[in-house]
Each structure stands twice: as C-alpha cells, then as structure tokens.
Amino acid sequence: MRDETAAKPGRKPRIEDVAALAGTSPMTVSRALRGEGRVSPETLARIHAAVEALGYVPNLSASSLASRRSGILAVLVPTIGNSVFSETVRGVADAAEAAGLHLLIGDYAYSDDKRRQLVRALVGRRPDALVLVGAVQDEAARTLLRQHDDIPVVETWELSDDPVDMAVGFSNFSAGAEVARHLVGGGRRRCAFVGSAESRAAARLAGFTAALAEAGAAPPETETPADLSIEAGRVSLDRLLARAPDLDGVFFATDVMAVGGLLECQRRSIDVPGRIAIVGLGDLEIGRQLRPALTTVRIPAYEMGRRAGELILARLGKGAPPREGRIIDLGFSLVRRQSS
Amino acid sequence: MRDETAAKPGRKPRIEDVAALAGTSPMTVSRALRGEGRVSPETLARIHAAVEALGYVPNLSASSLASRRSGILAVLVPTIGNSVFSETVRGVADAAEAAGLHLLIGDYAYSDDKRRQLVRALVGRRPDALVLVGAVQDEAARTLLRQHDDIPVVETWELSDDPVDMAVGFSNFSAGAEVARHLVGGGRRRCAFVGSAESRAAARLAGFTAALAEAGAAPPETETPADLSIEAGRVSLDRLLARAPDLDGVFFATDVMAVGGLLECQRRSIDVPGRIAIVGLGDLEIGRQLRPALTTVRIPAYEMGRRAGELILARLGKGAPPREGRIIDLGFSLVRRQSS
DNA sequence: CTGAAAGCGCTTACAG
DNA sequence: CTGAAAGCGCTTACAG
C-alpha cells in the first residue's frame, strides 16, 4: 500500500518505549513532554533524543482519557460554506491556537435535526469548551449541555436573555430596526425584506417590521429565497418589484443577496439609490467595491469568535480574567454608503 | 456558575452505571449502543431507557483508545477563510458525515511552520484519516506520515507524482498553460500574472510562462500581492499598467483578485475585453454575475473534497471500492465568458 | 527531581 | 444472546 521500506518494523512506539530508550520512567517522559514539573536537563536531553529516534507522537486519546482534558474546542456552525461564519470560526481558531486547543468542527447544514445529533456527538468527545454559531433553541440540547456543565459553552451571533452558559453577539432585532429607521429617515415609505429561514433573519425582520410600524410606514413585503446566493438576491428583487412596483427600499439579510439586488438594478437600469435604496448586512468586501457602494450593517464576525474564545480561555484559567459578564453585546454599526 | 438545580447530583454516568440501571453488563450496553451484534429487544429497550434516564453520553476518548479507531477525520487547510477551500472542506464533511466521522480542522494560516506542527498534533489524535489542501512538501511531515502508514492520507488541490499516499487534484501547471493559450489565441501579446506566494500559484505561473514562451509571446509581467482580496487585485492591475502600459491580458490566480481587476478597469473606463482581457480562477458566483462576466478556470473544489472523502471511506472499508488508482486528476475547465 | 501503583472509561478477544 | 478478564496508552495522586 505505502512504501513499506520507510516504515518502522514494529508497532507505534508508546511512552514506555521512549522511557526505556531514555533510561527513565514513563512518568518522567510524560512530565518532560508536557513541559510540566522539573526534569533535569540531562534526562530531558535523553528523552528528546529518544522521541526523535523512535518518531514518538503521544496518543492524545489516552492522554485525554487520563487527564480528563481533551484539548479540543468544539465549534458548531450552520455551514462552513458561508464566509461570514468562517470569519467567526477563524476568530475562535486564533484564540484556540494560543491555548493549544484543537478545533473540532460540526457543520449542521442548517438542519435542526443534524444540529441536535452533533451536539450529542461533540459532547461525547468531552471538549474543553463548545462554541456555537446561533443560540441553543432545542430543549433537549439545552438539557444535555446543562448536564455537562463542566463544558463552557458560548453562543454567538445571537443574544438570548437566557443563554445556556455564555453568549457573545449582537441584537439582530436592533439591527433590523436601525435599518428601517435609516430607510424611513431617507424618505422611504414602501420597504421590503429579503431573508432566510433562520432565526437570526427572523429577528432582523421583526426589528425591521417594528420600527417601520413605529414610523408609520407600511409593513414590509418579504421574500424568503431557498439559498443565500447573489442569484437569489436578484430573483427576489424581481419578484418584489412585480408585486410592489412602488417599492423604494429593500433590506437584504445578507450582503451576498444585496449584491444580487444591486446588480439586478444595474441591469434593469433602476436608479439606486434614486428610485430604490438597498441595504445589506455583513460588510463584505464586494459591497464596498461595487458602484454604487453598498450600505450595510457591519457585524463583528471575527470578533465574536475571538471573544468567545477568550471567554473560554478565561474560564479554563488559560487567559486573562473575564472583563465582563456572561453576556457580551458586541453591537453592530450601520455603514452608510451610496446605495441608500 | 451555571444553573446548579438542573445539574444531576453526581458525576457523569459511565457505561457501568447504564448497565447497572438496565440490569445487564457493560459489554452488552457497549454492543447495544454501537448497534453491533445481537442484543435481545427487551435488553435493548431497558438499555435505551437507562441511557435516557441518566443522560448518558459515551466518552469517545475512552472508546477511541480501546478500539484504536478515533472516528476522527483530520483536515489541514491553508485557511478556512478562503471560500474555495471551505468548498473542499464541505466536500470532505459530506463524505465524513455519511460514515459518522467527526471533522478535526487544522488551519495553518499559510505558515509552513504551523503546518508542520499541526501535522504532528493531528497525528497525535490518531485520526482515521487525514486530508490536506495542498501537497506535503515538508520532508519531516512526509516521514511522519509514512511512519503512521495506517492513517490514509489524501492530498488535494495539487498533483505531485509522488504523494505520501493518495491525491485528488488537478494540474495547476496545465491550468496556467491553458489560460496562456487562450489569451494568445485571442491575439494577446503582452500578458501578466497576478499570484500569491503559495506553491499552487507558482505552478500556475510556471505553466502560464511556459505556454507563452511556446507561443512566442513575451514572458509575463508578475505581481504578488500580500493578500488575495479584491483590493489587492485592483492595486495589482494599477501597478501592472504603470509598468507595462501596453498590457493586453491578465491572468489572476483567484477570481477574487480578478474581480478587483475587472472593477478597476470599470472605474478607469478601460475596455474589457477590448483593450485588456481578464481571466480568473475558481468560478465564484460574483464573476458570473458581473458585466462583463469573468472568464475563469473552473476548479472542482467541492468535488476534490468529496472524492478525497470517498477514497478514504473505501480504504476504511466503509464505502464503495476504489474506482481508480491513488492519484486522481479531476481536471479543470476554462469557462469563456465576456472578459476575454 | 523521579517513580510505582492505580485508574481514566471504554472495547477486544475469549468463552459460554 | 451475554459476560468476566484484560488491556488500550496515557496521567493523577502519592511518596520519596
């Protein structure tokens, strides 16, 4: 199968083999390799030589079991395919790396069922901590996580008033409301929302709707495409215009879809922001670069992951002490550009 | 810390506790939970009831250690921040899910040093398999992986003639060459390449250069921006034009940068493809949607991950038998659109 | 600074 | 269909 000549003859070396070759005990090898406790320089040198000679790589399943610390940071995301979520994962990864934790990723493909299964599966790995994109809605999952209350849990991208443990996010409701006020403030009277099936989009719509009502504007038209593509944004804009030709403001739940709306207006020679204002969410680079540049809600995607990681390190005693409580609102900001 | 009243009094239940409550042995519980071997329906029912009652979640570190199978599929990527790579990871994830494997992700942030460390660390988890984005160049890593030859390894995105174990990819050299032929065939005589520091971009440049020479065209101007952003593409185009005002064709190593080139031409009112032809690589949706639509090299990003996963499942005896050898060339295709 | 003993929580290999 | 014994490869908790 693979180059047999390069392979060592026997089975994989264990700590005992290293100890034997270095003329010491497994215990001392264990200490030396973890950099814990005092080990004499000579012993240390012999151990390192033995490790090198044998090509020894400690079995982390065994060390996890014995030490009751897995060194694993589990992350649960709706999909790794969405770049805003991968920004959050990068934030978590950066914090994890600083503490020498490995990232175990669960992608639940937006399926509630898969998410439930994944929570169980990940808990089975006894991770040192768990970060979720999104709040834990599911009662069974909440119970499970409460039961395993030695695992720090951070929910991100959403701020419930009752997180399982900790939360780092922003108010999707407020973001929607701010966009509505911005549009109405710019004289828009007939607005629409293009969202998705997830709870975060629903919260944005709720805030959007509430603020429109408060300002005396009509309730929003809505579109809920099956995916979050540029094409979905284009098609949604077409549909909305067919239903409500007098539309003058559209809030897309993601920048990707908003770019679709922008491009569709360009193709149909619809004046933006003259006739229609367009607002997105996420502050992707493409929105900044297009003309008219896209007005958007900037979300602290990377920062949420990073702070989630820091909260965890603090809890594990590996980082700075926590600066705030268990719920951190990182806020958002409306970035006014040319499209509104 | 967390709602204490909801927590069970004692420590976490073990398989022994489940067995005791169900009135059977740990061995039988183990069998029942793995769905292996025959267990009587009555025993099974009692076991499931006990699991439910105790909130038992098997400790996978223990089962990994005992069974010598971790149920982990390790994936090493240059960065999860790049959407083309996350497509590959999604492909791997889909295959992994079918086999009940968990994804352990190592993001080495394009650092050779981190990559080396991560290979060791991941091997320590004794993954059932390892997928890498990129070939294993490092000799130390190759030796380590050869030593652990019970771990199937698949390299993706690159096709070396001597992979550590298996490889699924395409020829970056050929892709570069094909773009060069396409440009020269369209009458372009003064071409440029905008790349990055990674080996895949270098291979594309090599192919690009070779084919230009073969066609009797001048060697390419090159730019190597520090990041792969749209802005980097814009700036690179500017620099190239400053150096070579007669430039008539640019190949960007990624669609993201190519979009920057396209937008910069738009802003400067440079006719594309009239004065300059622009070609990207990756076939991102934004390139399809812009006008002029971007000519690009379509890469089987998802498919590479998927096939890598399938090769692994075949090797582990969990999937269909392998259809081909250990090196699979998935090819690429030049998608001619309006920008060239 | 070093080590012998016990144990982490499962599964393998036997046996019935 | 079921179970007792041994062991997976480390680290904890003691002791010196």
Side-chain angles (χ1 to χ4, degrees):
Chain A
M1 198 165 283
R2 225 173 308 167
D3 187 5
E4 299 299 338
T5 62
K8 298 271 168 180
R11 349 175 318 85
K12 249 162 283 173
R14 294 159 304 159
I15 198 170
E16 197 185 312
D17 304 317
V18 175
L21 186 57
T24 179
S25 73
M27 204 42 253
T28 300
V29 174
S30 172
R31 280 198 194 92
L33 264 33
R34 278 175 298 140
E36 179 250 89
R38 280 122 298 283
V39 176
S40 78
E42 303 82 53
T43 310
L44 203 60
R46 274 183 288 121
I47 288 174
H48 283 310
V51 165
E52 197 62 33
L54 296 171
Y56 173 67
V57 180
N59 182 325
L60 299 181
S61 288
S63 91
S64 297
L65 181 59
S67 70
R68 296 152 162 289
R69 278 185 288 99
S70 63
I72 283 177
L73 177 43
V75 183
L76 209 55
V77 289
T79 172
I80 36 177
N82 188 326
S83 62
V84 289
F85 295 149
S86 47
E87 275 305 289
T88 300
V89 175
R90 276 209 318 117
V92 176
D94 285 351
E97 204 219 324
L101 296 172
H102 291 169
L103 233 54
L104 194 65
I105 302 256
D107 176 337
Y108 56 88
Y110 285 108
S111 148
D112 284 348
D113 226 52
K114 261 192 212 169
R115 183 158 47 80
R116 199 168 3 229
Q117 284 174 251
L118 269 170
V119 170
R120 284 199 111 250
L122 295 182
V123 166
R125 297 275 169 200
R126 301 294 188 267
D128 290 347
L130 174 62
V131 174
L132 302 109
V133 167
V136 183
Q137 318 275 4
D138 187 64
E139 243 343 291
R142 289 183 78 87
T143 306
L144 181 68
L145 292 174
R146 287 233 154 89
Q147 226 163 290
H148 291 261
D149 63 354
D150 50 336
I151 303 177
V153 176
V154 186
E155 295 162 61
T156 64
W157 276 84
E158 246 167 317
L159 286 178
S160 83
D161 27 288
D162 181 31
V164 170
D165 184 8
M166 299 176 278
V168 180
F170 65 97
S171 168
N172 288 278
F173 184 95
S174 300
E178 180 142 339
V179 172
R181 285 190 294 268
H182 166 67
L183 289 172
V184 171
R188 315 292 169 169
R189 307 265 79 201
R190 188 88 167 89
C191 294
F193 176 80
V194 180
S196 68
E198 35 170 343
S199 61
R200 291 170 291 285
R204 287 166 208 163
L205 173 58
F208 191 64
T209 305
L212 285 179
E214 202 165 296
E221 293 288 328
T222 64
E223 273 293 322
T224 309
D227 62 284
L228 304 177
S229 62
I230 297 177
E231 181 65 21
R234 289 186 46 217
V235 171
S236 295
L237 187 85
D238 275 339
R239 291 211 178 131
L240 288 169
L241 281 174
R243 287 214 312 268
D246 57 334
L247 207 68
D248 60 7
V250 187
F251 174 31
F252 290 86
T254 73
D255 268 11
V256 172
M257 291 196 294
V259 163
L262 218 48
L263 293 178
E264 182 63 11
C265 287
Q266 227 163 275
R267 290 197 205 171
R268 292 176 56 171
S269 298
I270 295 172
D271 182 18
V272 175
R275 178 172 157 201
I276 298 184
I278 290 186
V279 180
L281 184 145
D283 193 22
L284 297 191
E285 194 192 7
I286 183 67
R288 281 200 296 279
Q289 299 278 4
L290 286 178
R291 292 296 173 266
L294 181 67
T295 292
T296 191
V297 179
R298 179 179 297 152
I299 296 309
Y302 174 85
E303 188 74 1
M304 284 189 279
R306 180 85 203 195
R307 291 293 282 280
E310 284 168 7
L311 279 176
I312 283 166
L313 299 194
R315 178 75 67 79
L316 297 176
K318 293 184 175 189
R323 287 169 283 181
E324 307 92 336
R326 23 193 297 274
I327 303 183
I328 299 179
D329 186 347
L330 251 32
F332 58 83
S333 60
L334 183 69
V335 184
R336 291 151 201 254
R337 289 199 277 243
Q338 304 157 340
S339 70
S340 69
Chain B
M1 198 167 281
R2 224 172 311 168
D3 186 4
E4 298 299 338
T5 61
K8 297 275 166 177
R11 352 175 313 84
K12 248 161 286 171
R14 295 159 304 158
I15 198 168
E16 195 185 314
D17 304 316
V18 175
L21 186 57
T24 180
S25 72
M27 205 42 251
T28 300
V29 174
S30 172
R31 281 197 194 93
L33 264 34
R34 278 175 296 140
E36 178 251 270
R38 280 123 296 283
V39 177
S40 79
E42 304 81 53
T43 311
L44 203 60
R46 276 183 287 121
I47 289 173
H48 282 309
V51 165
E52 197 63 32
L54 296 172
Y56 173 67
V57 180
N59 182 325
L60 298 182
S61 287
S63 91
S64 296
L65 181 59
S67 70
R68 296 152 164 288
R69 277 185 289 101
S70 63
I72 283 178
L73 177 44
V75 183
L76 209 56
V77 289
T79 173
I80 37 178
N82 188 327
S83 62
V84 289
F85 296 150
S86 46
E87 276 304 290
T88 300
V89 174
R90 277 209 319 113
V92 176
D94 285 349
E97 203 220 326
L101 296 172
H102 290 170
L103 232 54
L104 194 66
I105 302 254
D107 177 337
Y108 56 88
Y110 284 108
S111 146
D112 284 347
D113 226 51
K114 261 194 211 167
R115 184 158 46 81
R116 198 167 3 229
Q117 284 176 251
L118 270 170
V119 169
R120 282 199 113 252
L122 295 182
V123 165
R125 297 276 170 201
R126 301 293 188 267
D128 289 348
L130 173 62
V131 174
L132 302 110
V133 167
V136 182
Q137 320 273 4
D138 186 64
E139 246 339 294
R142 290 183 76 88
T143 305
L144 181 68
L145 292 175
R146 287 235 154 90
Q147 226 163 290
H148 291 260
D149 64 354
D150 51 336
I151 304 176
V153 176
V154 186
E155 296 163 61
T156 64
W157 275 85
E158 246 167 315
L159 286 179
S160 83
D161 27 287
D162 181 32
V164 170
D165 184 6
M166 298 176 277
V168 179
F170 65 96
S171 167
N172 288 278
F173 183 95
S174 300
E178 179 141 340
V179 171
R181 285 190 295 265
H182 166 66
L183 289 173
V184 172
R188 314 292 168 172
R189 310 263 78 202
R190 187 89 166 87
C191 295
F193 176 80
V194 180
S196 68
E198 35 169 344
S199 62
R200 291 170 291 285
R204 287 166 209 162
L205 172 57
F208 191 64
T209 305
L212 284 179
E214 202 165 298
E221 293 288 327
T222 64
E223 273 292 322
T224 308
D227 63 281
L228 303 177
S229 63
I230 297 177
E231 182 65 21
R234 289 187 44 219
V235 171
S236 295
L237 188 84
D238 275 341
R239 291 211 179 132
L240 288 169
L241 282 174
R243 286 215 311 270
D246 57 336
L247 207 68
D248 59 7
V250 186
F251 174 31
F252 290 86
T254 74
D255 268 10
V256 171
M257 291 195 296
V259 163
L262 218 47
L263 294 178
E264 182 62 12
C265 286
Q266 226 164 274
R267 291 195 204 169
R268 292 176 58 172
S269 298
I270 294 173
D271 182 17
V272 174
R275 179 172 155 202
I276 297 184
I278 290 186
V279 179
L281 184 145
D283 193 21
L284 296 190
E285 192 191 8
I286 184 65
R288 280 199 296 277
Q289 299 278 2
L290 286 178
R291 293 295 173 268
L294 181 67
T295 292
T296 192
V297 179
R298 179 180 295 152
I299 293 309
Y302 174 85
E303 187 74 2
M304 283 188 280
R306 182 83 202 195
R307 291 294 282 280
E310 284 169 7
L311 279 176
I312 283 164
L313 299 194
R315 177 74 66 83
L316 297 176
K318 292 184 176 190
R323 286 168 283 179
E324 305 92 336
R326 20 192 301 271
I327 303 183
I328 298 179
D329 185 347
L330 251 30
F332 58 84
S333 59
L334 182 70
V335 184
R336 291 151 199 252
R337 289 199 279 243
Q338 304 157 340
S339 70
S340 69

